[in-house]
């Protein structure tokens, strides 16, 4: 029997370049730096390169000109490049504002606090989104959790990230689950700070409601229960973390570990290669929604608690939507609370509130018994009906799709956003809000003659 052999020849075009005017250079070999296509300018205009995106998938990008005549890399499939290594977001809130279809996950960010481009895991949905994951624990023990210059992943190894120690935060969020899944979350709350401060100054002493002897997360403006979706305590000031032993160990070292790697955690001193001595057995995060309590934690009752008090470590929480105290010190439950050692904890920060969040405000008109119409809104923090329009003071009213304000002082009270139109009645001028400020469009006579 004759055997016929066929030879299959595969030709791979790794690079194709034409010599005609306005030529396009197509590089189908994975870029040497797989996440960075390099510079995009007049010299590289029209180039197409194969890179790996923030999720590790291979994608083609093209260097093309924008409407402002500047060149930048764009995905050929039209997907947004915000949060890619070559087009980093400012923070997780920036992702929410600039990528309408964004999903929670890994994004590259860069700002004055992190200096270089770094990876961050962003939650773009909870409470309007914008939360950046800075820590993950898989049990209640606090003092052994290391910090490192690595990105924190929801299902990754337990550690704090020391990359974001200089990033200023307005919200701090604690999320507790009985498994490694977000879906099994039992408690999820955030502290709105009265004043922004860096993550590396998370814990304070003798300031913001925290005492000289018991430092913690202080200078809190209010507490929001994110499972309930509303503010539950506007008088809360300090979530006690531990007793004060020394600024060189415990809470003081914890702050330093948020700015530099600490392989042994914040309470352990190592001598030589093997001798480790534990000098602190406290460290917890908690809050209270009960009767506007100002403090919670190691010495006080809490609505939710995770961490250690006098060497006893646990997570404690109450029923969903509960606003009583369910946790006593030393890991004891009250009022039907649950105490467990099977706890996974994620800690998040938010450096700014997404501009998109305020647009979700619910506004409506009601007619009173005298037939007079009034505008009401639902306060997104408290869930309570309030008189007035969304995000604007009583001096400002809506006229169709245009805001009308009497003077410059009233304009300053407006929560502005790009594209917003405003008519200032005092001097009869029309403005549109750009990225940072109001820009004058026309005087009244110019509008009339249009």
């Amino acid at each position: 029997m004759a055997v016929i052999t066929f030879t299959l020849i595969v030709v791979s075009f790794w690079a194709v370049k034409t010599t005609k005017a306005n030529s396009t250079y197509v590089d189908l070999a994975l870029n040497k730096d797989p996440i960075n296509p390099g510079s995009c300018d007049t010299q590289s205009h029209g180039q197409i390169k194969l890179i790996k995106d923030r999720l590790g998938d291979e994608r083609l990008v093209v260097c093309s000109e924008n409407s402002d005549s500047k060149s930048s890399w764009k995905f050929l499939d039209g997907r947004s490049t915000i949060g890619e290594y070559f087009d980093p977001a400012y923070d997780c809130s920036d992702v929410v504002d600039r990528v309408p279809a964004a999903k929670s996950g890994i994004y590259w960010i860069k700002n004055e606090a992190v200096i270089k481009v770094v990876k961050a895991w962003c939650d773009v949905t909870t409470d309007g989104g914008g939360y950046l994951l800075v820590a993950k624990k898989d049990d209640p023990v606090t003092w052994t959790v290391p910090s490192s210059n690595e990105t924190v992943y929801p299902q990754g190894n337990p550690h704090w990230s020391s990359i974001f120690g200089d990033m200023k935060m307005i919200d701090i969020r604690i999320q507790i689950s009985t498994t490694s899944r977000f879906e099994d979350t039992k408690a999820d709350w955030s502290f709105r700070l009265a004043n922004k401060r860096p993550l590396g100054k998370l814990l304070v002493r003798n300031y913001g409601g925290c005492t000289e002897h018991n430092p913690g997360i202080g200078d809190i403006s209010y507490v929001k229960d994110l499972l309930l979706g509303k503010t539950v305590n506007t008088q809360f000031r300090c979530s006690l973390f531990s007793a004060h032993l020394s600024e060189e160990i415990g809470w003081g070292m914890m702050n330093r570990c948020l700015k530099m790697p600490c392989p042994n955690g914040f309470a352990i001193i190592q001598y030589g290669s093997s001798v480790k001595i534990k000098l602190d057995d406290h460290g917890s995060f908690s809050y209270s929604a009960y009767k506007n309590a100002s403090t919670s934690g190691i010495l006080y009752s809490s609505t939710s608690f995770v961490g250690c008090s006098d060497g006893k470590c646990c997570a404690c929480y109450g029923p969903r939507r509960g606003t009583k105290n369910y946790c006593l010190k030393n890991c004891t439950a009250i009022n039907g609370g649950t105490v467990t050692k099977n706890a996974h904890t994620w800690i998040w920060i938010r450096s700014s509130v997404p501009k998109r969040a305020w647009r979700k405000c619910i506004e409506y008109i009601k007619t009173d018994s005298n037939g007079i119409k009034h505008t009401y809104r639902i306060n997104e923090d408290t869930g309570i009906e309030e008189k007035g329009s969304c995000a604007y003071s009583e001096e400002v009213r809506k006229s169709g799709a245009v805001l009308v304000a009497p003077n410059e002082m009233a304009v300053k009270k407006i929560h502005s956003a790009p594209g917003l139109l405003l008519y200032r009645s005092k001097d009869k001028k029309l403005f549109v809000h750009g990225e940072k400020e109001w820009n004058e469009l026309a005087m009244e006579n110019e509008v009339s003659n249009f």
Side-chain angles (χ1 to χ4, degrees):
M1 178 183 294
V3 178
I4 302 175
T5 303
F6 293 92
T7 302
L8 178 64
I9 301 176
V10 179
V11 180
S12 298
F13 290 95
W14 291 104
V16 179
K17 186 175 182 179
T18 65
T19 57
K20 297 179 181 179
N22 299 320
S23 63
T24 298
Y25 178 82
V26 182
D27 189 353
L28 296 182
L30 190 62
N31 207 47
K32 289 182 179 179
D33 184 347
I35 59 175
N36 184 12
S39 61
C40 177
D41 49 32
T42 54
Q43 298 297 319
S44 53
H45 182 77
Q47 285 190 9
I48 298 175
K49 292 188 176 183
L50 182 65
I51 67 162
K52 285 191 175 182
D53 67 8
R54 59 186 174 83
L55 301 178
D57 297 327
E58 293 185 355
R59 290 184 178 273
L60 290 172
V61 291
V62 59
C63 178
S64 61
E65 194 173 89
N66 302 320
S67 57
D68 58 2
S69 299
K70 294 181 180 179
S71 296
S72 64
W73 293 104
K74 298 179 178 64
F75 285 119
L76 284 183
D77 60 7
R79 186 169 60 87
S80 173
T81 59
I82 303 299
E84 297 295 337
Y85 180 86
F86 55 90
D87 189 12
Y90 182 83
D91 58 13
C92 291
S93 291
D94 189 35
V95 173
V96 174
D97 286 331
R98 298 171 66 192
V99 188
K103 295 181 179 180
S104 297
I106 284 292
Y107 292 87
W108 290 94
I109 68 171
K110 184 180 185 297
N111 53 52
E112 64 277 2
V114 295
I115 303 177
K116 64 178 184 179
V117 183
V118 296
K119 273 185 177 181
W121 209 97
C122 297
D123 178 345
V124 301
T125 57
T126 304
D127 192 33
Y131 283 102
L132 188 158
L133 186 60
V134 294
K136 187 257 182 182
K137 302 195 306 160
D138 56 12
D139 64 50
V141 178
T142 309
W143 57 73
T144 57
V145 181
S147 66
S148 70
N149 290 328
E150 301 294 330
T151 301
V152 180
Y153 290 84
Q155 278 70 48
N157 294 326
H159 72 105
W160 286 85
S161 175
S162 53
I163 303 172
F164 307 105
D166 291 323
M167 183 176 286
K168 289 187 177 181
M169 54 192 178
I170 190 171
D171 291 318
I172 305 162
R173 173 185 166 201
I174 316 296
Q175 181 179 4
I176 305 170
S177 173
T178 50
T179 72
S180 61
R181 293 160 26 99
F182 288 155
E183 292 82 355
D184 297 314
T185 294
K186 303 300 181 184
D188 194 355
W189 72 91
S190 66
F191 298 128
R192 170 61 56 85
L193 298 180
N195 299 282
K196 275 189 172 185
R197 66 174 182 267
L199 175 62
K201 294 183 179 180
L202 173 67
L203 304 174
V204 297
R205 172 174 171 256
N206 202 24
Y207 169 75
C210 298
T211 67
E212 178 182 0
H213 302 292
N214 297 108
I217 301 176
D219 195 34
I220 294 170
S221 179
Y222 61 80
V223 185
K224 189 170 186 178
D225 183 334
L226 301 183
L227 295 181
L228 191 58
K230 70 177 185 179
T231 297
V232 291
N233 192 339
T234 59
Q235 303 300 315
F236 192 83
R237 296 296 176 261
C238 180
S239 171
L240 296 184
F241 181 77
S242 67
H244 171 62
L245 300 177
S246 166
E247 292 194 10
E248 300 304 314
I249 199 70
W251 74 275
M253 187 171 178
M254 175 71 169
N255 279 349
R256 291 194 298 279
C257 290
L258 295 176
K259 298 182 67 174
M260 66 178 190
C262 293
N264 297 316
F266 68 84
I268 296 176
I269 297 295
Q270 182 169 342
Y271 294 94
S273 59
S274 59
V275 179
K276 297 180 180 179
I277 301 176
K278 178 166 68 71
L279 299 179
D280 196 351
D281 56 5
H282 290 81
S284 65
F285 304 98
S286 64
Y287 82 96
S288 176
Y290 187 62
K291 290 186 176 180
N292 282 327
S294 62
T295 312
S296 68
I298 56 174
L299 300 176
Y300 299 89
S301 301
S302 309
T303 300
S304 292
F305 173 99
V306 62
C308 306
S309 173
D310 293 325
K312 292 185 178 180
C313 303
C314 67
C316 176
Y317 52 87
R320 193 180 182 93
R321 300 181 180 276
T323 56
K324 295 181 180 180
N325 281 338
Y326 303 100
C327 317
L328 294 176
K329 61 180 182 178
N330 298 325
C331 292
T332 303
I334 56 172
N335 296 325
T338 299
V339 170
T340 180
K341 291 186 177 181
N342 296 320
H344 293 255
T345 306
W346 298 274
I347 300 176
W348 313 75
I349 64 170
R350 186 159 63 176
S351 52
S352 62
V353 179
K355 295 183 180 70
R356 200 171 75 184
W358 72 268
R359 299 172 193 158
K360 297 178 181 178
C361 174
I362 299 173
E363 180 182 313
Y364 50 93
I365 295 175
K366 293 171 65 175
T367 304
D368 64 19
S369 57
N370 297 319
I372 301 174
K373 293 182 178 181
H374 301 277
T375 300
Y376 289 85
R377 64 176 179 266
I378 298 296
N379 186 307
E380 69 159 353
D381 290 324
T382 64
I384 298 173
E385 179 184 78
E386 296 177 344
K387 196 171 183 178
S389 177
C390 283
Y392 312 119
S393 69
E394 293 181 359
E395 297 177 274
V396 180
R397 69 183 190 278
K398 288 183 181 179
S399 178
V402 181
L403 299 177
V404 180
N407 51 49
E408 191 171 354
M409 290 298 294
V411 172
K412 292 180 179 180
K413 299 177 182 179
I414 299 174
H415 191 141
S416 54
L420 204 60
L421 289 174
L422 167 75
Y423 179 72
R424 198 165 66 191
S425 56
K426 181 180 179 180
D427 47 8
K428 300 178 181 179
K429 290 183 178 181
L430 185 65
F431 297 82
V432 64
H433 202 283
E435 288 295 325
K436 296 182 179 180
E437 60 186 4
W438 291 101
N439 300 306
E440 183 179 333
L441 286 179
M443 300 286 287
E444 185 180 54
N445 62 335
E446 293 174 322
V447 175
S448 301
N449 295 330
F450 182 73

